Amino acid sequence: MAERKEMPLWGWGDAEHSREVPLGAAENLSGELGFAAGTDVGARRIGDFDLAAPVLSPELLERLSSMVPTGSVSTEPWLRLLRAAGKSYADAVRMRAGRPGDAPDAVVTPGEEEEIAGVLQLCSELRIAVVPFGGGTSVVGGLSTIRKDFIGSISLDLGALSGLVSVDKDSLLATFRPGTKGPEAEALLKPYGLTVGHFPQSFEYASIGGFVATRSAGQSSTGYGRIDRNVMGLKVTTPTGRIELAPMPGSAAGPDLRQLLIGSEGTLGVIDEVTLRVHPSPASMVDRAWIAPDFETGREVLRLIEQDGCAPDVARLSDERETEVNLLLAGDSLAVKLLRRYLRLRRRSNGCLMITCFEGESVDVARRSQRASALMRKHHCLSLGSRVAKGWRKGRFAGPYIRDSLMDGGLFVETLETASNWSNLGRLYDAVRTELQGELEKEGGTPVVMCHVSHLYPTGASLYFTFAGKQPYDSVEERLALWQRVKGAACDAIRASGGTITHHHAVGTDHAPWLEDEIGAAGIRLLKAAKAELDPVGIMNPGRLMN
Amino acid sequence: MAERKEMPLWGWGDAEHSREVPLGAAENLSGELGFAAGTDVGARRIGDFDLAAPVLSPELLERLSSMVPTGSVSTEPWLRLLRAAGKSYADAVRMRAGRPGDAPDAVVTPGEEEEIAGVLQLCSELRIAVVPFGGGTSVVGGLSTIRKDFIGSISLDLGALSGLVSVDKDSLLATFRPGTKGPEAEALLKPYGLTVGHFPQSFEYASIGGFVATRSAGQSSTGYGRIDRNVMGLKVTTPTGRIELAPMPGSAAGPDLRQLLIGSEGTLGVIDEVTLRVHPSPASMVDRAWIAPDFETGREVLRLIEQDGCAPDVARLSDERETEVNLLLAGDSLAVKLLRRYLRLRRRSNGCLMITCFEGESVDVARRSQRASALMRKHHCLSLGSRVAKGWRKGRFAGPYIRDSLMDGGLFVETLETASNWSNLGRLYDAVRTELQGELEKEGGTPVVMCHVSHLYPTGASLYFTFAGKQPYDSVEERLALWQRVKGAACDAIRASGGTITHHHAVGTDHAPWLEDEIGAAGIRLLKAAKAELDPVGIMNPGRLMN
Ligand SMILES: Cc1cc2nc3c(=O)[nH]c(=O)nc-3n(C[C@H](O)[C@H](O)[C@H](O)COP(=O)(O)OP(=O)(O)OC[C@H]3O[C@@H](n4cnc5c(N)ncnc54)[C@H](O)[C@@H]3O)c2cc1C
Ligand SMILES: Cc1cc2nc3c(=O)[nH]c(=O)nc-3n(C[C@H](O)[C@H](O)[C@H](O)COP(=O)(O)OP(=O)(O)OC[C@H]3O[C@@H](n4cnc5c(N)ncnc54)[C@H](O)[C@@H]3O)c2cc1C
């Protein structure tokens, strides 16, 4: 088993990575929202954590061990903590307070896919809850321990099951083991001249199985497609048997059960093999930034470009507020100064930043980018050239580090996302923005609420909100109550304005209360019926999706 | 309610439409397979049919009537016969013999979608089987009456529920009532400059609800996408409640239940509203035919073109045998004579016909067709110009009429289809072709077995087989036994060679025995669990999909 790269309990990514908030931004936030760098870092060492002893007896642990002869069963406290949560704001609040809430009794790491069935059968027999653990990047409470009336709860860690099973280059298909991380998948495909093309912001740590379990969308999904569009075949081990659905290019053989398993978030079984449609590695890349006159015009241009068939693979349009903050975060470098001057000269003190990245075969990239540029210009968008866009590409996985430092400085900072049809996007944006602003203002200061359009489809697009406000409370309970209030108000607003409760973060525990509103009582009954059939004891990731 | 255009019981389409087999083909077939035009036409008048009286009592019929106040309940014999079957070879054998097998006790035609729920509830209470009827074009036994232990069986005719509910032009969305027929849907969208882009060969009679219930693919689905890719939202009335899934461009809100309902073939409920992604009406069309040196090279060129992103919207590649037959069927017109001469001059006595149609915005059509042409030439494909392709487009819905006349002349003639990944397509083709040839030869003569590639995907393509052989038997039972034997052998070969049991015809009763092999025992259990939840009495289209 390869040495595992673990994230710190209290935050994102590589513990050594720089987390400095640029000076200009820090000053701005400290005035408005009371940000004070490094004053609220919290628990860091094992002694800081309030961790209960595992409740599973040595005999039961022994029986579990016998199910994973090539793997391991561990009750090591630090490992239990590492598997106790994902990376949401709520997770961070708990971890930073040294109050993980609860943690798995044991971390079970199968050494082979074949060992999973035995673990699930034993856990069904004994009534032990099982939480599959991929990369641990869930931001919706997908990984916490929920004991209900089970006699114990384990984390089923898929981290040892990584690698490429096979490649069919003619058919553009690649089959992966579930625990393969984003960068590893790319490295494995590179020699074939292929790419998965799936780059969520969590790319560096998330796993192929996790992508599929959560219906993930990556930053380039406008071009390469969401993961659910690229899963051609998959295998799932459930407590009552294995489902194997071979890759087919298209089929009318009844309902597509792949789409019932994709997005099942570990509640139906463990996705232990995935066959993806993969893509030729891009031969050419054209990155370019633009300033749209306003958010509405920017959205309209993106709609036209997408429906014209010349959409970029990455398209991000920031609203006015996010555009300002981006410039602020970029610090007062020469580039930003020049940019401001350039905008002033063109009488654009304001506007909306748009990042576009075209990737692929070079003639096609040229065609699309030229057509898109013409449409941009026609709608009064100003080209900023390639530098800002290249900068975005370079720093595209760095955002989460800044969140950590904002939390270290005592702020409430969170993101949420939704999607809707083009004709409804303006209404949805206004509703969620207003709601977030109002709720955050209740705690004082001038909160930051910003948004970008991040994924384009012929019929609509997604909206991604980032917001920060005062976190005036000290206790875990109060901090979580504030989070719950703001998040809940935004979720209500999303559903009331016809957005999906989640475009790519998945449901987990956090969005579960809103799922019924979206898929209806009969929809929930369908999910429960599927669960009752595959997982009659209900051991698989209890509390997720349906309650 | 608009006057309903009904097909004749014994065959396809418009009873008055010409059904003549071109002279050259007829001569050829009469020698080889004993074809004799018009010698086996069978039952045509009501007196010819062996139809049992309806078993539902007048009281029950009265109660059914009360559920459809704006609709109707009819026990009229001709109407019951019209709703007793679809348009498969087996259906035709039965109908031509005047032996429909069984027919619904009543045809219930709701006048409004809201009336469906009451019908399903009453039928659940009384244990009456319900077979939804869209356009009646099923070729897999999707519409026959299967009584099991029900007290009766009705056809739920959706034909009165037709039309456009709404259009959202900005979002490229159109919402249809379930019974809307293909041509009507196109006519309704035309004023908006939009098209559904869904043209199965059955287009003129099939319904939107039927397309969705069967996961249909149309002749232009390489370009516009299969119906399952274009359904964004849908509403389904089940015996235990209604499922409404609003159109979302993309979502991570758990499993996609749309894809569990699409392809459910009436076994879970009645699809009574469909929101489709629609497409701008094409401004430009470029049709062109080619001759590929052989079937394998032709497939390889299509793969390259599809994966390059310059695929035509319609792509059909006939194997050597189908190419010959197509020329034969085209008769000895001047065009065909010239074509043969042209091929001889280029030392191509043989080869494979390829039809390509590019549709859409004119710059894009030009780009794709030019790139595709370059790839064609590089792989030694010979351009035949546009005439043959235009001819195909003109006659694209006429094929089924010829099947009728071949049956009238005493032949066994049938089609079947499958799909697989590119790397497996040659193996699948060889296996199915050999199997069909071998089974048909057992009845003597030289059977015709021909095939074309008809739908392209990045990861694979579909294969469509048409075959004809001797039908030496006279009784319905023997005729069906021959059909069953040949079909069964081909289906076994399809599954043994990794093809899907159906690429677009759906499962119905005919493919149901092979579904478990494709989706596994756990897959079948999942379907049954969904059915038990939504339709606990099991009234919805019994015998279809699962047995
Ligand atoms: C900073 C940050 C940025 C993010 N950006 C994006 C983004 O751009 N796009 C996006 O889509 N998401 C994003 N996410 C969310 C998260 O990364 C995705 O949900 C991701 O797909 C989770 O993958 P994972 O391997 O980490 O799964 P985990 O977090 O380990 O698990 C997620 C859920 O799936 C279940 N699960 C995991 N693996 C399996 C399996 N093999 N079988 C069955 N169930 C399983 C778990 O039980 C859990 O409920 C982001 C998260 C963070 C922290
Ligand atoms: C000559 C010919 C050519 C064909 N070519 C093609 C082709 O190119 N591509 C292709 O995909 N198919 C083709 N088919 C098959 C057939 O046309 C398709 O399956 C079509 O989608 C059926 O639509 P329909 O409205 O006629 O449905 P029906 O035949 O009336 O019904 C089909 C099945 O779906 C159920 N059903 C129908 N409507 C509903 C509803 N609203 N809710 C729930 N269940 C419902 C029925 O009970 C039945 O089981 C062809 C058939 C023929 C006869």
Side-chain angles (χ1 to χ4, degrees):
Chain A
M1 208 191 312
E3 173 74 77
R4 201 54 183 279
K5 196 165 113 195
E6 299 282 2
M7 289 189 269
L9 280 177
W10 44 267
W12 182 250
D14 178 351
E16 307 303 318
H17 192 283
S18 154
R19 280 175 166 74
E20 217 171 323
V21 179
L23 205 63
E27 272 167 18
N28 199 292
L29 291 166
S30 59
E32 292 282 11
L33 298 169
F35 171 81
T39 55
D40 196 25
V41 294
R44 299 264 149 141
R45 286 180 315 269
I46 187 73
D48 300 337
F49 288 89
D50 185 5
L51 177 68
V55 301
L56 292 177
S57 68
E59 291 73 31
L60 291 185
L61 292 171
E62 197 44 56
R63 286 184 70 185
L64 275 171
S65 282
S66 71
M67 293 295 150
V68 289
T70 72
S72 66
V73 172
S74 168
T75 54
E76 206 271 302
W78 194 251
L79 188 62
R80 287 175 56 216
L81 284 172
L82 280 170
R83 300 293 173 265
K87 294 292 171 189
S88 71
Y89 177 76
D91 291 330
V93 164
R94 287 192 202 97
M95 283 299 176
R96 285 158 172 263
R99 298 255 315 273
D102 202 345
D105 297 306
V107 176
V108 178
T109 308
E112 299 292 344
E113 284 75 353
E114 291 67 33
E115 297 171 359
I116 297 172
V119 175
L120 301 190
Q121 278 153 28
L122 183 64
C123 288
S124 289
E125 187 191 321
L126 300 173
R127 298 192 52 82
I128 297 174
V130 176
V131 183
F133 189 97
T137 67
S138 169
V139 281
V140 291
L143 295 167
S144 55
T145 302
I146 299 178
R147 295 191 173 265
K148 294 197 166 173
D149 56 353
F150 294 98
I151 69 153
S153 183
I154 61 164
S155 170
L156 186 70
D157 185 349
L158 303 165
L161 308 176
S162 79
L164 191 58
V165 178
S166 63
V167 174
D168 173 353
K169 211 181 157 178
D170 277 356
S171 310
L172 293 178
L173 291 170
T175 302
F176 289 100
R177 300 178 76 192
T180 316
K181 300 293 186 317
E184 191 191 349
E186 290 300 329
L188 288 166
L189 286 187
K190 203 170 177 191
Y192 298 92
L194 296 171
T195 175
V196 175
H198 195 73
F199 306 102
Q201 202 185 34
S202 53
F203 166 76
E204 297 170 292
Y205 291 87
S207 67
I208 297 278
F211 293 157
V212 177
T214 59
R215 293 191 98 78
S216 164
Q219 290 168 344
S220 320
S221 289
T222 296
Y224 296 105
R226 311 169 53 85
I227 203 78
D228 39 291
R229 285 267 157 159
N230 285 300
V231 175
M232 305 307 292
L234 82 175
K235 297 185 182 169
V236 181
T237 299
T238 80
T240 59
R242 195 137 191 264
I243 309 184
E244 302 193 0
L245 297 166
M248 293 292 175
S251 172
D256 188 359
L257 297 178
R258 292 167 191 83
Q259 296 292 335
L260 185 67
L261 298 163
I262 300 169
S264 60
E265 300 186 24
T267 62
L268 302 179
V270 179
I271 297 165
D272 58 34
E273 194 180 289
V274 176
T275 301
L276 293 175
R277 171 197 169 185
V278 293
H279 309 261
S281 305
S284 160
M285 293 202 183
V286 169
D287 298 343
R288 177 170 285 181
W290 298 84
I291 291 284
D294 54 63
F295 198 43
E296 193 179 345
T297 308
R299 291 197 310 266
E300 181 65 5
V301 184
L302 288 182
R303 179 179 77 80
L304 294 171
I305 287 175
E306 166 69 27
Q307 294 181 349
D308 180 74
C310 64
D313 298 276
V314 177
R316 294 165 74 89
L317 166 71
S318 295
D319 68 358
E320 285 82 355
R321 192 77 179 95
E322 189 171 283
T323 302
E324 280 165 33
V325 172
N326 274 346
L327 294 184
L328 205 64
L329 282 176
D332 48 9
S333 67
L334 182 62
V336 172
K337 274 191 192 134
L338 286 174
L339 178 63
R340 288 195 192 281
R341 192 141 116 220
Y342 174 81
L343 291 178
R344 253 196 319 275
L345 274 174
R346 272 152 194 78
R347 294 164 197 272
R348 289 279 173 82
S349 61
N350 216 305
C352 289
L353 182 66
M354 217 185 301
I355 305 285
T356 60
C357 305
F358 296 84
E359 307 186 0
E361 181 275 322
S362 50
V363 176
D364 187 56
V365 162
R367 171 189 73 88
R368 283 188 287 141
S369 62
Q370 280 159 21
R371 276 184 81 94
S373 294
L375 278 163
M376 294 277 193
R377 293 213 170 81
K378 190 170 156 201
H379 288 83
H380 312 290
C381 299
L382 255 174
S383 169
L384 301 182
S386 65
R387 183 198 282 256
V388 178
K390 286 215 175 85
W392 172 83
R393 191 190 275 277
K394 220 176 126 199
R396 68 200 281 197
F397 304 126
Y401 292 105
I402 294 179
R403 186 185 75 166
D404 285 350
S405 4
L406 294 177
M407 284 190 76
D408 287 352
L411 292 191
F412 171 30
V413 47
E414 177 61 307
T415 65
L416 52 83
E417 32 76 67
T418 178
S420 190
N421 304 321
W422 287 111
S423 59
N424 189 51
L425 218 52
R427 172 175 162 241
L428 179 62
Y429 168 67
D430 290 339
V432 179
R433 206 175 146 288
T434 307
E435 198 65 33
L436 284 172
Q437 197 84 32
E439 286 300 321
L440 292 167
E441 273 167 5
K442 291 183 185 164
E443 305 301 334
T446 309
V448 181
V449 177
M450 54 197 203
C451 178
H452 63 257
V453 170
S454 61
H455 297 80
L456 315 183
Y457 304 87
T459 64
S462 68
L463 295 176
Y464 188 94
F465 290 88
T466 306
F467 51 95
K470 284 203 168 185
Q471 177 50 282
Y473 307 104
D474 283 329
S475 76
V476 174
E477 289 71 21
E478 285 169 307
R479 287 185 168 191
L480 292 181
L482 167 58
W483 167 74
Q484 196 82 39
R485 175 167 62 73
V486 177
K487 168 100 183 161
C491 288
D492 288 345
I494 283 174
R495 286 301 305 147
S497 337
T500 176
I501 192 60
T502 170
H503 167 265
H504 62 260
H505 279 168
V507 178
T509 45
D510 298 353
H511 294 134
W514 287 270
L515 188 62
E516 179 163 341
D517 187 60
E518 182 156 343
I519 67 171
I524 296 285
R525 280 169 43 215
L526 260 181
L527 292 183
K528 288 191 170 162
K531 185 168 175 75
E533 181 60 40
L534 298 177
D535 173 27
V537 184
I539 59 164
M540 294 307 305
N541 219 0
R544 253 54 70 156
L545 274 185
M546 337 149 220
N547 275 321
Chain B
M1 209 191 315
E3 174 75 76
R4 202 57 181 280
K5 196 166 113 194
E6 299 282 2
M7 288 188 270
L9 280 177
W10 44 268
W12 182 251
D14 178 350
E16 307 304 318
H17 192 285
S18 153
R19 280 174 167 73
E20 216 169 324
V21 180
L23 206 60
E27 270 167 18
N28 199 290
L29 291 166
S30 58
E32 293 281 11
L33 299 169
F35 171 81
T39 54
D40 195 25
V41 293
R44 300 264 150 140
R45 286 181 314 268
I46 188 72
D48 300 337
F49 288 89
D50 185 5
L51 177 68
V55 301
L56 292 177
S57 68
E59 291 73 31
L60 291 185
L61 291 171
E62 196 43 56
R63 285 184 70 184
L64 276 171
S65 282
S66 71
M67 293 294 150
V68 288
T70 70
S72 66
V73 172
S74 166
T75 54
E76 205 271 301
W78 196 251
L79 188 60
R80 288 174 57 216
L81 285 172
L82 280 169
R83 300 292 172 266
K87 293 293 171 189
S88 71
Y89 177 75
D91 291 331
V93 165
R94 286 190 202 95
M95 283 299 177
R96 282 157 174 264
R99 300 254 314 272
D102 202 343
D105 297 306
V107 176
V108 178
T109 308
E112 300 292 345
E113 284 75 352
E114 291 66 34
E115 296 171 0
I116 297 172
V119 174
L120 301 190
Q121 277 152 28
L122 183 63
C123 288
S124 290
E125 187 191 321
L126 300 173
R127 298 191 53 83
I128 297 174
V130 176
V131 183
F133 189 97
T137 68
S138 169
V139 280
V140 291
L143 296 167
S144 54
T145 302
I146 299 179
R147 295 190 173 265
K148 293 198 166 172
D149 55 353
F150 294 98
I151 68 155
S153 183
I154 62 163
S155 169
L156 187 70
D157 186 348
L158 303 165
L161 308 176
S162 80
L164 191 57
V165 177
S166 62
V167 175
D168 173 352
K169 209 181 160 181
D170 278 355
S171 310
L172 293 178
L173 291 170
T175 301
F176 289 100
R177 300 178 75 192
T180 316
K181 300 294 186 318
E184 192 191 348
E186 290 300 330
L188 288 166
L189 285 187
K190 203 172 178 189
Y192 298 92
L194 296 171
T195 175
V196 175
H198 195 73
F199 305 103
Q201 201 186 34
S202 52
F203 166 76
E204 297 170 292
Y205 291 86
S207 68
I208 297 278
F211 293 156
V212 177
T214 60
R215 294 188 97 78
S216 164
Q219 290 167 343
S220 321
S221 289
T222 296
Y224 296 105
R226 310 168 54 85
I227 203 76
D228 38 294
R229 286 267 157 158
N230 286 302
V231 175
M232 305 307 293
L234 83 176
K235 297 185 182 169
V236 180
T237 298
T238 80
T240 59
R242 195 138 191 263
I243 308 184
E244 303 193 359
L245 297 166
M248 292 293 175
S251 172
D256 188 358
L257 297 178
R258 292 167 190 83
Q259 297 292 335
L260 185 67
L261 298 163
I262 300 169
S264 60
E265 301 186 22
T267 62
L268 302 179
V270 179
I271 297 165
D272 58 35
E273 194 179 289
V274 176
T275 301
L276 293 175
R277 171 197 168 185
V278 292
H279 309 261
S281 305
S284 159
M285 293 201 183
V286 169
D287 298 343
R288 176 170 285 182
W290 299 82
I291 291 283
D294 55 62
F295 198 43
E296 193 179 344
T297 308
R299 291 198 308 265
E300 181 64 5
V301 184
L302 288 181
R303 179 178 78 80
L304 294 171
I305 286 175
E306 166 69 26
Q307 294 180 349
D308 180 75
C310 64
D313 298 276
V314 176
R316 295 166 74 89
L317 165 71
S318 296
D319 67 358
E320 285 82 355
R321 192 78 180 93
E322 189 171 283
T323 303
E324 282 166 31
V325 172
N326 274 346
L327 294 185
L328 206 65
L329 283 177
D332 49 8
S333 66
L334 183 62
V336 172
K337 273 191 194 133
L338 286 174
L339 177 63
R340 287 195 193 278
R341 194 144 112 215
Y342 174 80
L343 291 179
R344 251 194 321 272
L345 274 173
R346 273 150 194 79
R347 292 164 198 275
R348 289 279 175 81
S349 61
N350 216 306
C352 289
L353 182 66
M354 218 186 299
I355 304 285
T356 60
C357 306
F358 296 84
E359 308 186 2
E361 180 274 323
S362 51
V363 177
D364 188 55
V365 162
R367 171 189 73 88
R368 284 189 287 140
S369 62
Q370 281 158 20
R371 275 184 82 94
S373 294
L375 278 164
M376 293 279 193
R377 293 212 170 81
K378 193 172 154 199
H379 288 82
H380 313 289
C381 299
L382 255 175
S383 168
L384 301 183
S386 65
R387 183 198 280 255
V388 178
K390 286 217 174 85
W392 172 82
R393 190 190 276 277
K394 219 176 128 200
R396 68 199 283 196
F397 303 126
Y401 291 106
I402 294 180
R403 185 185 77 166
D404 285 350
S405 2
L406 294 178
M407 285 190 73
D408 287 351
L411 292 192
F412 171 30
V413 47
E414 178 61 306
T415 65
L416 53 82
E417 32 76 67
T418 179
S420 190
N421 304 320
W422 288 110
S423 60
N424 189 50
L425 218 52
R427 174 176 160 239
L428 179 62
Y429 169 66
D430 290 339
V432 179
R433 207 175 147 292
T434 307
E435 198 65 34
L436 284 172
Q437 196 85 32
E439 287 299 322
L440 291 169
E441 273 167 5
K442 290 182 187 164
E443 305 301 335
T446 310
V448 181
V449 178
M450 53 196 205
C451 178
H452 63 257
V453 170
S454 61
H455 297 79
L456 314 183
Y457 303 87
T459 64
S462 68
L463 294 176
Y464 188 95
F465 290 88
T466 305
F467 52 94
K470 283 203 168 184
Q471 177 48 283
Y473 306 104
D474 283 330
S475 75
V476 174
E477 288 72 20
E478 285 169 304
R479 287 184 169 192
L480 292 181
L482 168 58
W483 168 74
Q484 195 82 38
R485 176 166 63 72
V486 176
K487 169 102 183 159
C491 288
D492 288 345
I494 285 174
R495 286 301 304 147
S497 338
T500 176
I501 192 61
T502 170
H503 166 265
H504 62 259
H505 279 168
V507 177
T509 45
D510 299 353
H511 294 134
W514 287 270
L515 188 61
E516 178 163 342
D517 187 60
E518 183 156 343
I519 67 172
I524 296 284
R525 279 168 45 215
L526 260 180
L527 292 183
K528 287 191 172 163
K531 184 167 175 75
E533 181 60 40
L534 297 177
D535 174 26
V537 184
I539 58 165
M540 294 307 304
N541 219 1
R544 252 54 70 155
L545 273 187
M546 338 149 221
N547 275 321

